[in-house]
Amino acid sequence: MHRRSILMGSAALAVPTIARAANVEVTVLYSQPGLYKEAHETIVREFAKREPSITVRLLAPTRAYEEAASAVLRGAVTNSIPDVVYNGTNLLHLFVDRRLAVPLDPYIAADEGFARDGYIPAMLSTGHLGGHQYAVPFALSTPITFYNEQLVRRAGLDPDAPPADWPGMLDWAQRITALGAPAKGIDIKWQTTGNYLFQALLFSHGGKLLSEDGKRVGFDSPEGLRSFQLLREMVTRGGMADATAEQAMQDFIAGNIGMHLTSSANLNTLMAQIGERYTLRTAPFPVPNPDARIVSGGAAATLFSRTEDKRQAAYKYIRFATGPIGQTIMVNHIGYLPCSRVAIETPELLGNYYARDRNTRTSLSQLPRATGWLGFPGPNSLKAIDAVYAAMEATVAGRSTPEQALARSVEQVNALLPR
Amino acid sequence: MSDLALAAPLSRPLPKGILLAGPAALLMLLLQIGPLVLVVCAAFTDWQLGGEAPNFVGLDNFRALIADHDFQASVLVTARYTLMVVPGALLLGLGLAMLLQGARRGRTVYQTIFFLPYIATLAAMSIAWQMLLHPSFGPVNQGLAALGLPVANWLRDENTALPVLALIGIWHETGFAMVFFLAALTSVPTELHDAARIDGLGGGWDRFWLVTAPHIAPIALFVLVVLTAHAVMVFDTVALLTQGGPGNATRVLLFVIYQEGFSFFRTNVAATATVFFLAITLTLGMLQLRLGRRGGAA
């Protein structure tokens, strides 16, 4: 057996190689081809060079995480689940509750290279459920603040000192809105799938999604109320419009919105679309205190193979894609957060990338405070997400007060959780 | 032996008949009846896509669905949509048909123009409507603003979203109604109109009510049922333009089924809603069949 050491040797695929069987084929499904296509194809090419006995076949990608999930569930019925699927980390419950996802713990335990590759614990935790590691994060993001330097300056504010907390943020938003139409102070992309920004508000205030026993909601709390209140204050004080996510993004790109709070994953798109129109800056997500938790979510590789030889092969591929080299390829193509400390700190890998552009470092700086993007347990998981979405929508539109929105979402989600 | 000899002539027509009807029947069984039975069965279980073996839960799903606020809202929304689209498309279709019937020239041109929205894919047309209705750079708002009239974010406003979708529905269905009415109007014998005129029924309205209306009534009833079926089955515009929002304002029945099945993965709930939906469409279908027969006879 010849095992080449790859760059620095840190990323060697260190799973003890069992007698090489004939060629094993691993099928892989991912979503959002517009974003991920090149990255995944490059990773598969690089992997093929290093592991010629494993053929990784990328299946026709699905448009969104939910569709990939749907493909997995259909595959369970027709016995054709892909071996590896890049799932939205908040959808993990779906596959764990139905006992489809294969726990990775035994493979990680037998893998000496795992510790060496410096997986960041906070990020690994996004693939952790019920005491097992079911997924390894591939491309994560955290919510950050994007802002329009020129608009901020026009409002007489200092773009080099963005506010770190909510009072400061709302103050900025108010001053920018005061410039008059079409200027709007702030927008938060509350529509993001899986209540991502709601969880950002909730967790950064120290709130919980679920109670300790997981049978009731945990956001029936001052922190939960605060989250809805902030949403409302952004409308009443910060000039946020009741618009669709697309409309708000177009408005921000057009230069009409001062601050746009959304996933750091939008960085590349925003930079490309804003171009020379104005200077795009980024700042950490506003939080009540410096060590507040920041929700982190995105795509994570989940293992579904039914046979042991496929699992072994698929695990090797997962390790490569989420290891230093795979992560370097991923970041260079799409700018999500890598989960490997080795990749971040090695200049030849991503060190230089982060040194080049300050905007890319914002999300990275929040990494140590990352906490998982959570889903609700049980068969009504996604319906519960929709209930919270409806409460946020009603708050933004002014149809409900924050108190009413909280009460209604708490009641609805409680009814949807398994007893 | 004599039994066989007796049976043979009786059974002879069977194989040929089965041979001819077999493929179609098999396909229908496989592609229509089969899935339908599965859906109905799933409505009585806790089965969800990809889940473990289902358990029988009786009427639990039905009870939960009827108590579900979103589902209740969707029934109301679908009813409201239908009540706006059906009369609108019916009357406009009839009006256009009568205008066209009186037209001396360009009849086919207009006929084609009015029928075009019905042939055009509603999905593709929805994108065009989305552009027209965009709150800041859509021509609708720009036009209104130029006239000094109030503008709105049409598809994001609870009060306007459903009426706007209904308008699109009317725009889409009017051509369909018109074609049927045109055919019906052509079948009204001209002698009757002449006779009515001789009898002193000079006014257009009188002649419409006494001569035309009775003739086109069966077709009108048929069109009414078909339009209702179409309206109940609205999905494309909702899925593409509003996703059921804002709030529950445009969450129609079919969209709820889609959401439950493919977004929430609550297969059993989706199946239950489908059973409910099927009951409605089956009733309409049977009505259509019966009216179709009567229309044919008349």
Side-chain angles (χ1 to χ4, degrees):
Chain A
M1 169 198 128
H2 82 254
R3 205 169 70 190
R4 262 181 296 170
S5 68
I6 308 150
L7 286 169
M8 322 216 350
S10 62
L13 299 156
V15 187
T17 315
I18 309 170
R20 286 267 160 95
N23 209 325
V24 186
E25 190 189 69
V26 172
T27 51
V28 174
L29 179 67
Y30 67 96
S31 310
Q32 306 178 20
L35 198 61
Y36 284 111
K37 191 165 183 284
E38 274 180 60
H40 275 304
E41 284 173 356
T42 314
I43 288 171
V44 167
R45 262 201 310 278
E46 290 300 315
F47 182 68
K49 285 184 201 154
R50 292 169 174 85
E51 285 286 341
S53 68
I54 300 172
T55 309
V56 174
R57 190 158 61 89
L58 290 174
L59 302 171
T62 56
R63 202 171 49 86
Y65 290 138
E66 283 77 8
E67 283 161 43
S70 174
V72 171
L73 300 183
R74 263 184 283 124
V77 179
T78 56
N79 206 11
S80 60
I81 309 188
D83 293 304
V84 177
V85 181
Y86 289 95
N87 284 305
T89 46
N90 68 322
L91 298 175
L92 210 53
H93 265 295
L94 277 178
F95 317 115
V96 175
D97 286 351
R98 288 169 167 82
R99 283 185 239 167
L100 298 171
V102 180
L104 297 168
D105 313 66
Y107 302 94
I108 293 172
D111 175 1
E112 63 198 57
F114 194 85
R116 218 180 320 133
D117 280 355
Y119 282 89
I120 297 162
M123 302 189 75
L124 270 182
S125 74
T126 58
H128 209 77
L129 197 64
H132 295 282
Q133 191 74 39
Y134 281 103
V136 184
F138 170 72
L140 296 188
S141 66
T142 57
I144 59 173
T145 307
F146 293 90
Y147 60 101
N148 177 333
E149 185 178 315
Q150 280 74 17
L151 200 54
V152 164
R153 230 184 260 290
R154 256 181 60 205
L157 301 159
D158 177 9
D160 292 322
D165 57 7
W166 278 104
M169 201 60 161
L170 289 167
D171 204 44
W172 264 39
Q174 202 166 15
R175 301 258 310 258
I176 295 167
T177 313
L179 290 170
K184 301 180 192 81
I186 198 168
D187 180 79
I188 188 167
K189 197 176 172 186
W190 58 271
Q191 304 95 336
T192 309
T193 183
N195 306 151
Y196 187 57
L197 269 302
F198 174 73
Q199 292 190 11
L201 292 171
L202 182 68
F203 297 159
S204 63
H205 283 86
K208 296 258 178 291
L209 189 67
L210 294 168
S211 63
E212 286 300 324
D213 61 2
K215 292 195 167 113
R216 294 184 64 78
V217 298
F219 58 86
D220 189 6
S221 62
E223 296 83 20
L225 181 61
R226 186 80 195 111
S227 306
F228 281 108
Q229 281 170 341
L230 278 173
L231 214 50
R232 187 68 202 142
E233 279 170 41
M234 278 185 253
V235 177
T236 52
R237 280 186 62 196
M240 179 160 90
D242 174 23
T244 65
E246 292 76 25
Q247 289 169 351
M249 183 135 158
Q250 287 160 354
D251 231 11
F252 180 68
I253 290 167
N256 297 333
I257 296 180
M259 290 157 301
H260 185 48
L261 276 56
T262 182
S263 157
S264 58
N266 292 295
L267 180 60
N268 284 8
T269 317
L270 285 175
M271 280 202 297
Q273 299 218 24
I274 290 165
E276 303 293 306
R277 205 169 288 142
Y278 59 83
T279 314
L280 176 71
R281 297 281 297 268
T282 61
F285 193 76
V287 286
N289 52 65
D291 55 351
R293 304 301 267 169
I294 287 291
V295 69
S296 173
T302 322
L303 178 62
F304 291 104
S305 311
R306 295 288 119 194
T307 59
E308 191 53 36
D309 61 327
K310 285 220 180 213
R311 285 180 185 176
Q312 295 279 359
Y315 176 75
K316 279 190 197 175
Y317 159 73
I318 292 177
R319 280 283 283 111
F320 181 76
T322 61
I325 299 184
Q327 291 290 285
T328 302
I329 296 171
M330 182 280 293
V331 173
N332 276 313
H333 278 97
I334 53 181
Y336 272 55
L337 285 177
C339 62
S340 157
R341 186 151 294 289
V342 172
I344 297 168
E345 286 163 1
T346 310
E348 305 87 83
L349 294 176
L350 288 169
N352 292 334
Y353 171 90
Y354 285 114
R356 243 188 345 260
D357 184 353
R358 59 184 173 185
N359 277 346
T360 60
R361 291 195 296 270
T362 302
S363 187
L364 201 62
S365 73
Q366 300 187 131
L367 251 187
R369 297 185 283 130
T371 182
W373 180 26
L374 302 182
F376 293 104
N380 303 320
S381 165
L382 290 138
K383 173 86 178 172
I385 287 174
D386 195 58
V388 177
Y389 177 97
M392 285 194 284
E393 188 184 43
T395 311
V396 171
R399 287 195 300 271
S400 305
T401 64
E403 289 78 10
Q404 289 167 336
L406 177 71
R408 181 138 22 96
S409 57
V410 165
E411 184 198 326
Q412 285 182 344
V413 175
N414 272 337
L416 290 165
L417 289 176
R419 257 142 257 291
Chain B
M1 287 309 259
S2 65
D3 280 3
L4 256 179
L6 259 174
L10 273 175
S11 63
R12 196 165 294 145
L14 273 178
K16 212 186 263 170
I18 287 172
L19 222 65
L20 287 172
L26 191 75
L27 280 178
M28 214 163 102
L29 202 74
L30 227 62
L31 298 175
Q32 293 184 332
I33 315 267
L36 205 71
V37 171
L38 280 179
V39 165
V40 175
C41 288
F44 294 93
T45 68
D46 62 355
W47 187 74
Q48 298 202 331
L49 192 62
E52 289 167 348
N55 298 307
F56 181 76
V57 296
L59 290 171
D60 281 6
N61 289 333
F62 288 89
R63 254 179 245 125
L65 195 67
I66 288 167
D68 183 14
H69 190 73
D70 292 344
F71 182 72
Q72 291 168 1
S74 79
V75 174
L76 274 177
V77 166
T78 312
R80 279 180 55 207
Y81 178 86
T82 310
L83 283 176
M84 283 189 270
V85 169
V86 174
L90 197 79
L91 293 177
L92 260 178
L94 180 60
L96 283 178
M98 288 175 54
L99 280 177
L100 281 185
Q101 221 225 348
R104 300 244 169 94
R105 283 171 32 190
R107 191 176 138 165
T108 23
V109 176
Y110 281 111
Q111 204 173 315
T112 315
I113 290 174
F114 292 132
F115 195 56
L116 218 54
Y118 187 71
I119 319 171
T121 328
L122 197 50
M125 288 300 111
S126 296
I127 306 296
W129 280 103
Q130 191 170 31
M131 292 298 152
L132 287 171
L133 294 166
H134 192 283
S136 29
F137 34 80
V140 171
N141 269 2
Q142 285 188 346
L144 286 175
L147 293 171
L149 294 167
V151 297
N153 193 347
W154 302 101
L155 296 168
R156 286 292 303 162
D157 187 322
E158 250 196 331
N159 300 315
T160 58
L162 193 66
V164 165
L165 288 189
L167 267 177
I168 298 175
I170 292 172
W171 168 82
H172 183 242
E173 295 287 344
T174 297
F176 174 83
M178 178 200 72
V179 165
F180 276 87
F181 282 127
L182 261 179
L185 286 173
T186 332
S187 75
V188 181
T190 36
E191 305 89 74
L192 284 183
H193 278 289
D194 295 340
R197 205 172 288 134
I198 291 167
D199 284 347
L201 288 176
W205 267 120
D206 292 344
R207 266 187 290 132
F208 175 79
W209 282 117
L210 289 169
V211 182
T212 314
H215 259 93
I216 61 169
I219 291 285
L221 214 59
F222 172 78
V223 172
L224 178 84
V225 173
V226 177
L227 283 182
T228 310
H230 285 181
V232 170
M233 285 192 262
V234 63
F235 177 78
D236 320 34
T237 43
V238 175
L240 285 160
L241 294 178
T242 62
Q243 289 85 44
N248 273 336
T250 60
R251 209 186 282 242
V252 294
L253 256 177
L254 214 52
F255 189 72
V256 166
I257 295 174
Y258 167 79
Q259 232 183 356
E260 290 289 354
F262 300 99
S263 305
F264 303 158
F265 301 116
R266 301 204 301 173
T267 318
N268 52 340
V269 180
T272 313
T274 306
V275 169
F276 193 86
F277 183 74
L278 270 176
I280 299 175
T281 44
L282 269 181
T283 315
L284 285 170
M286 259 144 52
L287 224 81
Q288 181 186 344
L289 211 67
R290 181 162 290 182
L291 292 172
R293 273 201 203 115
R294 247 180 50 192

